[in-house]
Amino acid sequence: MPPSPESLLTQLRKGVLEYCVLARLRSGPAYGVELAAALSQGSLLASEGSMYPLLSRLRKQGWVETSWHESTGGPPRRHYSLTAEGRSALRVFVATWGPFSADVAAMMEES
Amino acid sequence: MPVLRDPLVAAYLAELDQALAGADPRERSDTVAAVREHLADALAGEHTRGRVAEVLADLGPVDQIAAAATPAGTPTPVAVPVWRPRLTLVMAVASLVLVVLIPVIAVPLALAALVLAAGQLAWARGQARSTLWSAVAASTATLVAALILGLTLVQATSGTLERGEGQMVDPEQVQQHIGPDAVFAP
């Protein structure tokens, strides 16, 4: 019996999603709402909320850290940013993902 | 009213906490806190019924969020400094090298490496695990080698009794050990 698209997506996200979060933080810190909005474009996230357990794991692993920033006319916001370890983890992913995704694409094209 | 006292928001957060009951405790508290912050931020500008419903819909069902969390009791990949497994391996290899030269240093070194490796293997993941298992192998080899050397030394010492050297022993015991045809020199 074929898998449902949703269950398949869950499996595919497992290896890759945390690196997408790291990539989004590559250019600088972001606060939660902003990060969630960026990642929920397309099918990367099941829903905005499902990003938060992932962020918790990334913080535990030492790849992401947080800090509080005062914001104009609103409550202070928690900003998420990459650590040095997070940056190197992302580098490894980028180097590995390129060839791997190309191989997968090539295999899918073979008829 | 303040965002977090909105009954819909409060109910959502309570349900989220409930849905995360089986999750890793730290992920549970981090997630609830982060979603609370997300809501406070998203609704700070506009706090209408419609907007609340929209933001909650974007956040998604609490069960879906909980499904993304690690179950409680799963060992977490803690950030282990890379140098620790390597140092453990160096200690183990050093002990193996030293076992023939300075066994009195090699054996404690091997034991220390073994204990350190065992402690780290509880947490380590990936590359670190193979490094640590190599350390275990090298330490074990050292201890086995030390044992063999020790036994060889004991046998060599009991062998020299024939020439009148060595300690006082029960002749019958020695007779059994080296056989009936051996002769004691006067």
Side-chain angles (χ1 to χ4, degrees):
Chain A
M1 196 182 135
S4 71
E6 200 48 52
S7 69
L8 197 53
L9 271 172
T10 306
Q11 283 308 307
L12 292 169
R13 284 167 184 146
K14 275 186 184 149
V16 162
L17 204 45
E18 51 186 6
Y19 299 99
C20 293
V21 173
L22 297 181
R24 179 59 185 78
L25 293 173
R26 188 169 32 192
S27 49
Y31 56 96
V33 170
E34 187 182 30
L35 205 49
L39 284 160
S40 56
Q41 312 280 329
S43 53
L44 289 177
L45 279 177
S47 60
E48 288 187 8
S50 54
M51 179 189 74
Y52 289 109
L54 179 56
L55 273 173
S56 171
R57 282 195 290 281
L58 287 169
R59 289 166 68 188
K60 238 187 306 191
Q61 281 169 246
W63 290 358
V64 165
E65 58 193 355
T66 71
S67 57
W68 287 95
H69 287 220
E70 291 296 324
S71 70
T72 50
R77 283 166 171 167
R78 187 196 294 272
H79 277 227
Y80 299 87
S81 55
L82 279 188
T83 61
E85 286 91 359
R87 234 168 254 285
S88 12
L90 180 58
R91 265 197 294 273
V92 176
F93 178 79
V94 171
T96 315
W97 174 255
F100 177 74
S101 58
D103 290 343
V104 173
M107 191 59 66
M108 291 304 118
E109 269 175 57
E110 258 175 58
S111 45
Chain B
M1 84 181 93
V3 169
L4 295 176
R5 282 204 251 146
D6 180 320
L8 266 179
V9 171
Y12 184 86
L13 287 168
E15 279 171 30
L16 177 60
D17 189 46
Q18 193 51 39
L20 285 165
D24 172 81
R26 177 160 162 189
E27 277 184 43
R28 180 184 190 183
S29 52
D30 278 354
T31 302
V32 173
V35 170
R36 185 182 291 125
E37 287 153 28
H38 178 113
L39 284 161
D41 200 10
L43 296 170
E46 187 195 335
H47 185 185
T48 60
R49 263 335 54 204
R51 183 77 184 123
V52 170
E54 201 184 313
V55 172
L56 291 179
D58 285 340
L59 276 170
V62 298
D63 290 326
Q64 200 170 63
I65 300 178
T70 318
T74 316
T76 50
V78 176
V80 173
V82 171
W83 59 266
R84 254 194 244 149
R86 287 181 190 163
L87 178 64
T88 311
L89 181 59
V90 166
M91 283 169 64
V93 171
S95 73
L96 192 56
V97 167
L98 287 172
V99 73
V100 191
L101 305 167
I102 322 173
V104 74
I105 292 180
V107 170
L109 193 59
L111 285 169
L114 209 52
V115 169
L116 284 172
Q120 290 172 70
L121 275 166
W123 304 109
R125 292 288 173 275
Q127 179 65 37
R129 289 191 79 81
S130 42
T131 309
L132 290 167
W133 280 115
S134 307
V136 168
S139 305
T140 311
T142 306
L143 295 171
V144 168
L147 195 64
I148 293 174
L149 281 168
L151 286 171
T152 312
L153 221 65
V154 168
Q155 286 202 357
T157 322
S158 52
T160 61
L161 282 165
E162 245 188 88
R163 282 167 268 138
E165 294 164 35
Q167 62 274 60
M168 295 281 287
V169 281
D170 180 8
E172 271 176 68
Q173 265 192 359
V174 177
Q175 194 75 42
Q176 279 170 13
H177 196 68
I178 58 176
D181 298 314
V183 172
F184 284 111

